[in-house]
Amino acid sequence: MQLFLDTANTEHIRHASRLGLISGVTTNPSLVSKEGKVDYKALVKEICTVVGGPVSTEVLSQDAEGMIAEAREIATWAENIAVKIPSTLAGLEATSVLSKEGIKVNMTLCFSLNQAVLAAAAGAAFVSPFVGRLDDIGEDGMQLVVDIVEYLRYYDIPTLVIAASIRNTSHCLSASRAGAHIATVPYKVLLQMIEHPLTDSGVRRFAEDWNKVMGNAGIFS
Ligand code: E4P
């Protein structure tokens, strides 16, 4: 499973990129707003230089015509842009047009298998089921990821599933078990994925055992 970083924070993106962990980034208007009043285009262009893989950048219009115009403009900002379009009727119309033009669309705010079926039919390169937000209303968000992955595999459809609205490391685990192609994770969760108390105690024990016998000698001394 590939990992994308779900943020518009360039410091966090640079760090995750330095660690060699992320293959892409997803942003949305809420995440961009968290960074204060920014120049959206400049911010997205900067992110696109840091990360080689797709950088999902969302449209703001809610009608097909507006979405198409915005998406065409956004797609010129960098080679590795994917335009995020909401899973609405207008969004489907825009996605059908844009995907035929070779613009990669990430159909976002996906909350049902039916929405994913339509996103794939419209030619979306990515579909983003929102796991955490479904959990928030008492539904099983990860089951939707399972269902979409199974559907796309069964019919051999090339649309990639991005498990989104990831809130914790259990979500990452379940997304990888479900066969999601990608999980887009918040920075905090990405860093938590490496943590395990047995790794920490194991590292401490190895150092203690070595020091007991070798003192402060390093490997080469
Ligand atoms: C995905 O592309 C979205 O940006 C994101 O995962 C939404 O997550 P949230 O439900 O935590 O806001």
Side-chain angles (χ1 to χ4, degrees):
M1 182 173 75
Q2 289 185 21
L3 294 166
F4 286 6
L5 202 61
D6 196 27
T7 185
N9 183 290
T10 49
E11 217 176 289
H12 293 170
I13 294 168
R14 282 184 199 283
H15 182 217
S17 180
R18 255 196 336 270
L19 292 170
L21 299 177
I22 55 167
S23 328
V25 165
T26 52
T27 68
N28 65 41
S30 303
L31 291 172
V32 172
S33 305
K34 275 193 192 166
E35 302 309 309
K37 201 163 191 296
V38 292
D39 177 339
Y40 189 36
K41 180 175 175 178
L43 176 67
V44 170
K45 285 179 94 163
E46 185 183 346
I47 295 171
C48 287
T49 62
V50 179
V51 182
V55 174
S56 288
T57 308
E58 194 148 343
V59 296
L60 287 175
S61 288
Q62 293 178 19
D63 61 299
E65 210 178 309
M67 287 179 192
I68 292 167
E70 286 180 9
R72 283 180 179 149
E73 164 63 22
I74 290 170
T76 64
W77 293 351
E79 291 282 316
N80 52 334
I81 289 278
V83 183
K84 245 181 175 183
I85 304 254
S87 302
T88 59
L89 210 51
L92 284 173
E93 186 178 338
T95 298
S96 299
V97 171
L98 295 165
S99 58
K100 285 187 190 80
E101 293 175 9
I103 294 175
K104 281 196 162 65
V105 174
N106 173 359
M107 283 218 90
T108 187
L109 291 166
C110 172
F111 295 100
S112 74
L113 179 56
N114 277 338
Q115 288 179 320
V117 167
L118 296 177
F126 307 96
V127 63
S128 292
F130 272 39
V131 175
R133 291 194 197 188
L134 278 170
D135 289 355
D136 288 345
I137 59 160
E139 292 194 26
D140 183 351
M142 198 52 70
Q143 187 56 47
L144 177 60
V145 175
V146 171
D147 291 344
I148 298 174
V149 168
E150 189 184 359
Y151 166 75
L152 295 173
R153 289 240 163 91
Y154 186 82
Y155 289 102
D156 203 15
I157 298 168
T159 304
L160 300 177
V161 177
I162 305 180
S165 188
I166 294 284
R167 301 278 168 78
N168 50 55
T169 53
S170 298
H171 278 156
C172 300
L173 195 65
S174 308
S176 61
R177 285 186 179 139
H181 305 92
I182 300 148
T184 188
V185 298
Y187 179 68
K188 188 176 141 206
V189 176
L190 182 77
L191 299 188
Q192 285 171 341
M193 285 173 75
I194 191 66
E195 288 175 13
H196 199 287
L198 290 179
T199 305
D200 296 340
S201 60
V203 167
R204 269 197 310 275
R205 170 85 69 83
F206 287 152
E208 284 163 11
D209 288 347
W210 174 276
N211 291 342
K212 265 187 233 155
V213 176
M214 312 282 190
N216 287 333
I219 286 178
F220 303 114
S221 53

